[in-house]
Amino acid sequence: MPDKNNIKNIVDKIAVESIADYFSADKKIEQAKKNIPDGKRFKIAIFSSFTAKGVKEVLNVECFKLGIIPEFFVSDYKQYAQDILDKNSSFYSFKSDLAIVFIDTRSLLGENFFLPYQISDAKRKKDIEEKFVELKSLAQTILKRTSARIIFHNFETPLYSPLGILENKQKFGFCQAIEELNFKLRELFKNNSRVFLFDYNSFSSKIGKNRLSDPKMYYLADIKVNLEYLPVLAREYLSYIKAMLSLSRKCLVLDLDNTLWGGIVGEDGIEGIKLGPTPEGRPFLEFQKYILSLFNRGIILAINSSNNQNDVSKVLKEHPYMILKEKHFAAMQINWNNKISNMREIQKQLNIGLDSMVFIDDSKVNREMIKEAIPEVLVVDLPQDPSLYARSLMEINDFNTIGLTKEDKKRGRMYASQREREKFKEVATDIESYLKNLNTVVTFKKADSFTIPRIAQLTQKTNQFNMTTRRYIEEDIEKFLKSNDYLVISAKVEDKFGDNGIAAAAVVEKTPEIAKKQWRIDTFLLSCRVIGRAIEKVMLNYIIEQAKKEGAEMLVGEFIATSKNDPAKDFYKNNGFNLAEEEKDFQKWHFAIGKKQAEYPEFIKVLKD
Amino acid sequence: MKRLLKIFSKVMGIKEVLITEETSKEDTPAWDSFNSLMLVSEIESAFNIKFSIQEAVSIKSVKDIKNILEKHGIILI
């Protein structure tokens, strides 16, 4: 492990206001890196068609601030094609985790950027097709020869045309050519999980194409991105990097008064607050709509508000323009406690990391308080003007993930129904009747192409109820299936409060031994949101049933202790297994199948495919 | 003048007290072509002006910068 304190000391001293600060901070970091023991470095390769000096420096600093220790390969000026195509280039010994490919429109078109109509429409079409093939082969070469992911820039559409207003009347115009290229690149990479097309054209529009590049800098040094905008560009790259390194955040904690609606409900009353299709109400209405769209992509929502519970309940239930309702919130801390303890309470209830939370509050005092007390939480500096709320939330790049499984999308909903489940548990007289009244349905499925991504994800992310904590990627699971020696299963869990999606999985190796047929449970895990509901018992019995069907006589269970999987510790012991071997953190448990029948608890309905 | 000195010191990595109007490209080893551009970029954003390409090329000393800023209506004291 790199020395965390050491990194923190350096980071605390870094104050970057302008590009020159990045260069001096970069030097300090390079110096500091020498004292940080070799550990996992995040290796980034940068390829560009122009002078991209500064990109590495800014990215180095920004990564470091996040606790990532990057290492760089910067392809020399205009050497990108050679460095990628030559298999002996040092890029390939570098073994990058990420390759950024930034080729700009001018370099791509060369002479034809200024004289686009010196060639015929047909030739232009052919040319752009050729360029597309070249770009495609660059990307594919990287994919084939490395395991890196790629951020591939698309192309800025030109702001001018020699034909002026007739540009869009051409058979295959100059601007159209670039648009078509962008379109084709998007199609090409759409289904490739390792390549991300970075919409540089939109990015430059956001900044303003004429501001983003300074012609003077271009003529003086072939600089295509004005130095002062490099930090903004680096921020875009960080959206991907954070997602790749699982530094994403997944929970949005919201204040209410003057955040989700205008005014103070305790004083103005439900009729008096500003929310709805009026000039002052619409910013809040649309802010809520945007938050709902985040919920729909899987972000967990919570409330942290100083208010009377009844006032808020009334708004949530009765206000005609309230977009966010009780059913969207996974935790609601509405009281007069201080917001710091509320925040910790929410964290406890949801059982997620503080570093996966984002806090939104219109009050600067509250924001500073949280920043100070819980620095792990990302606090959004909401502008004074509510009409800018939505935009400032859209700027947050911390909700990105490199993929989105069906379960991810449902996450917000699942946590919200968990709150209802807990409420239900409080009113239930005993645990038995609680479980009985949940109407749980567990559906077992043997792994297939639809469930493999989620199974791999569960092995990557599950820490608590995980017998062996073996991490697998999708390719590993596919290998298991191909070999026919493995049974890989997933369990979908539903109840009357909603669908938890695939929440449990197991990998079982069918080892046919001479004396007796043994099945080894390689992986057995349960997502933390379904712990305590006997799902694990059901899954074990399903495995017993399958083993029996195929004539196995013995089940071998393994347990590897980690600092986090205490909840799984006694599982085999409590389910009739006998300890057969023990060595340090590793245990082997045996279970004779014999005549034993699978026993499913009455209160769970089991479906098998 | 203080602001200009601060920028210059940051870009070239030398202490502010060592910089005078006479400080020039020749006696500043860190003043290479890239740092020259970075200097222009920093001054442009700090003073909210744009240098012309001729101005950018002509800068050879701190005094040159001061003169250009004056032409843009910024008097350094």
Side-chain angles (χ1 to χ4, degrees), chain A residues 509-513 516-520 554 556 590:
Chain A
E509 190 191 4
K510 313 179 200 171
T511 2
E513 287 202 355
K516 47 191 162 193
K517 286 179 89 182
Q518 285 192 354
W519 279 25
R520 183 183 64 87
M554 166 97 85
V556 179
H590 282 174

Side-chain angles (χ1 to χ4, degrees), chain A residues 279-322:
Chain A
E280 278 180 290
R282 268 188 55 198
F284 295 100
L285 185 73
E286 298 197 345
F287 185 46
Q288 288 201 22
K289 283 188 185 164
Y290 180 62
I291 294 171
L292 180 64
S293 75
L294 288 176
F295 172 83
N296 288 336
R297 72 104 71 192
I299 301 302
I300 305 163
L301 303 182
I303 296 175
N304 182 353
S305 158
S306 305
N307 247 315
N308 292 323
Q309 174 82 50
N310 289 343
D311 292 339
V312 173
S313 275
K314 199 159 179 220
V315 177
L316 286 173
K317 287 199 182 91
E318 296 170 23
H319 197 289
Y321 293 105
M322 193 69 195

Side-chain angles (χ1 to χ4, degrees), chain A residues 344-356:
Chain A
R344 296 200 185 276
E345 187 54 37
I346 293 169
Q347 186 265 335
K348 226 167 66 195
Q349 274 179 28
L350 301 180
N351 193 18
I352 55 174
L354 286 164
D355 57 3
S356 65

Side-chain angles (χ1 to χ4, degrees), chain A residues 17-21 23 53-54 214 216-217 219-221 223 226-228, chain B residues 6 10-11 32 34 37-38 40-42 44-45 50-53 56-57:
Chain A
E17 285 161 16
S18 64
I19 185 74
D21 295 322
F23 275 82
K53 196 168 170 170
D214 181 340
K216 170 180 70 217
M217 295 296 183
Y219 290 119
L220 286 172
I223 290 175
N226 205 341
L227 295 177
E228 72 176 291
Chain B
K6 197 176 160 207
K10 240 174 22 183
V11 173
D32 59 15
F34 186 79
L37 294 177
M38 191 147 72
V40 169
S41 170
E42 291 276 330
E44 285 184 337
S45 11
K50 280 281 174 196
F51 284 36
S52 70
I53 190 162
V57 172

Side-chain angles (χ1 to χ4, degrees), chain A residues 122-387:
Chain A
K123 172 87 167 67
R124 188 164 28 258
K125 197 167 171 72
K126 196 168 148 269
D127 279 0
I128 213 75
E129 178 62 36
E130 278 169 21
K131 298 284 181 202
F132 171 70
V133 172
E134 280 168 30
L135 295 168
K136 184 172 157 182
S137 101
L138 288 180
Q140 283 172 342
T141 308
I142 298 176
L143 288 175
K144 208 163 58 202
R145 292 185 189 158
T146 74
S147 57
R149 289 203 169 89
I150 306 176
I151 298 177
F152 205 97
H153 276 236
N154 79 357
F155 292 84
E156 185 180 317
T157 53
L159 285 176
Y160 96 104
S161 161
L163 292 177
I165 62 171
L166 296 177
E167 169 62 29
N168 288 334
K169 299 224 175 282
Q170 305 313 305
K171 203 161 163 218
F172 189 76
F174 163 51
C175 296
Q176 187 187 349
I178 297 298
E179 282 163 14
E180 184 144 320
L181 178 63
N182 285 346
F183 179 80
K184 287 176 117 160
L185 288 170
R186 176 162 60 203
E187 290 301 312
L188 175 66
F189 298 139
K190 203 172 254 180
N191 295 316
N192 189 318
S193 61
R194 283 172 59 199
V195 191
F196 292 87
L197 188 68
F198 169 49
D199 194 350
Y200 183 69
N201 188 44
S202 289
F203 170 77
S204 56
S205 298
K206 189 167 89 178
I207 307 287
K209 290 178 180 176
N210 281 340
R211 275 169 66 196
L212 184 60
S213 75
D214 181 340
K216 170 180 70 217
M217 295 296 183
Y218 162 60
Y219 290 119
L220 286 172
D222 200 10
I223 290 175
K224 302 252 170 51
V225 178
N226 205 341
L227 295 177
E228 72 176 291
Y229 291 109
L230 289 180
V232 200
L233 180 62
R235 242 185 76 86
E236 297 288 335
Y237 295 153
L238 282 175
S239 312
Y240 301 91
I241 294 172
K242 284 185 203 170
M244 285 172 199
L245 294 173
S246 300
L247 297 171
S248 334
R249 297 179 185 261
K250 55 185 179 190
C251 174
L252 186 58
V253 182
L254 298 151
D255 169 53
L256 296 175
D257 290 330
N258 284 316
T259 299
L260 289 194
W261 55 71
I264 295 164
V265 66
E267 288 169 16
D268 305 328
I270 182 168
E271 295 84 9
I273 57 171
K274 294 185 180 72
L275 176 65
T278 60
E280 278 180 290
R282 268 188 55 198
F284 295 100
L285 185 73
E286 298 197 345
F287 185 46
Q288 288 201 22
K289 283 188 185 164
Y290 180 62
I291 294 171
L292 180 64
S293 75
L294 288 176
F295 172 83
N296 288 336
R297 72 104 71 192
I299 301 302
I300 305 163
L301 303 182
I303 296 175
N304 182 353
S305 158
S306 305
N307 247 315
N308 292 323
Q309 174 82 50
N310 289 343
D311 292 339
V312 173
S313 275
K314 199 159 179 220
V315 177
L316 286 173
K317 287 199 182 91
E318 296 170 23
H319 197 289
Y321 293 105
M322 193 69 195
I323 303 285
L324 299 171
K325 313 245 185 245
E326 233 170 278
K327 66 173 184 200
H328 298 119
F329 294 103
M332 296 197 279
Q333 287 295 310
I334 301 160
N335 51 46
W336 298 96
N337 304 341
N338 79 58
K339 294 216 171 185
I340 301 168
S341 58
N342 277 349
M343 204 73 184
R344 296 200 185 276
E345 187 54 37
I346 293 169
Q347 186 265 335
K348 226 167 66 195
Q349 274 179 28
L350 301 180
N351 193 18
I352 55 174
L354 286 164
D355 57 3
S356 65
M357 300 168 89
V358 176
F359 179 57
I360 293 206
D361 195 315
D362 66 295
S363 145
K364 193 160 192 251
V365 179
N366 288 338
R367 295 201 301 257
E368 294 305 316
M369 195 166 74
I370 298 287
K371 274 189 209 171
E372 184 65 34
I374 321 177
E376 298 93 328
V377 173
L378 175 73
V379 178
V380 180
D381 279 312
L382 216 55
Q384 285 253 309
D385 181 354
S387 68

